[in-house]
């Protein structure tokens, strides 16, 4: 099997040699980094989280704070993109 020269060729070779465990570990590391970035985004945008919590109160009357936290942590790429496009974080949500 021929692999591309450079860093990606070495990564591909290592992944193929080690098997599925390496893919699972890589996926978990990516998920961890994604979640940490989402938590950091949420920490710096508390006012957006409170607005989101108020809007989710109708759908989730008891757990609206947890639902808002989950949406903020997992939808941070969308929220960040809307803040660059509209000038206001979450302009497409409300």
């Amino acid at each position: 099997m021929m692999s591309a020269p450079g860093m990606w060729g070495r990564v591909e070779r290592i992944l193929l040699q080690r098997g599925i465990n390496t893919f699972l570990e890589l996926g978990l590391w990516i998920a961890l980094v994604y979640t940490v970035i989402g938590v950091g985004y949420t920490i710096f945008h508390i006012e957006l989280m409170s607005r989101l919590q108020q809007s989710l109160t109708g759908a989730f009357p008891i757990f609206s704070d947890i639902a808002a936290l989950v949406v903020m942590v997992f939808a941070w790429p969308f929220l960040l993109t809307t803040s660059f496009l509209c000038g206001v974080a979450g302009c497409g949500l409300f």
Side-chain angles (χ1 to χ4, degrees), residues 7-91:
M7 184 183 76
W8 293 114
R10 287 182 293 203
V11 169
E12 180 183 1
R13 227 176 310 118
I14 289 171
L15 288 175
L16 290 175
Q17 287 174 355
R18 297 191 185 224
I20 190 68
N21 293 337
T22 306
F23 289 117
L24 291 175
E25 182 181 359
L26 181 64
L28 288 173
W29 278 109
I30 291 171
L32 178 67
V33 169
Y34 185 88
T35 304
V36 167
I37 293 171
V39 169
Y41 184 85
T42 303
I43 289 171
F44 289 114
H45 292 89
I46 295 295
E47 72 284 347
L48 178 61
M49 187 173 158
S50 66
R51 287 191 304 161
L52 187 59
Q53 180 183 355
Q54 289 173 356
S55 67
L56 289 174
T57 301
F60 304 102
I62 297 173
F63 300 110
S64 63
D65 52 348
I66 296 172
L69 178 66
V70 168
V71 168
M72 287 285 292
V73 168
F74 290 112
W76 69 264
F78 173 75
L79 296 170
L80 187 64
T81 304
T82 58
S83 68
F84 284 130
L85 295 176
C86 303
V88 177
C91 68

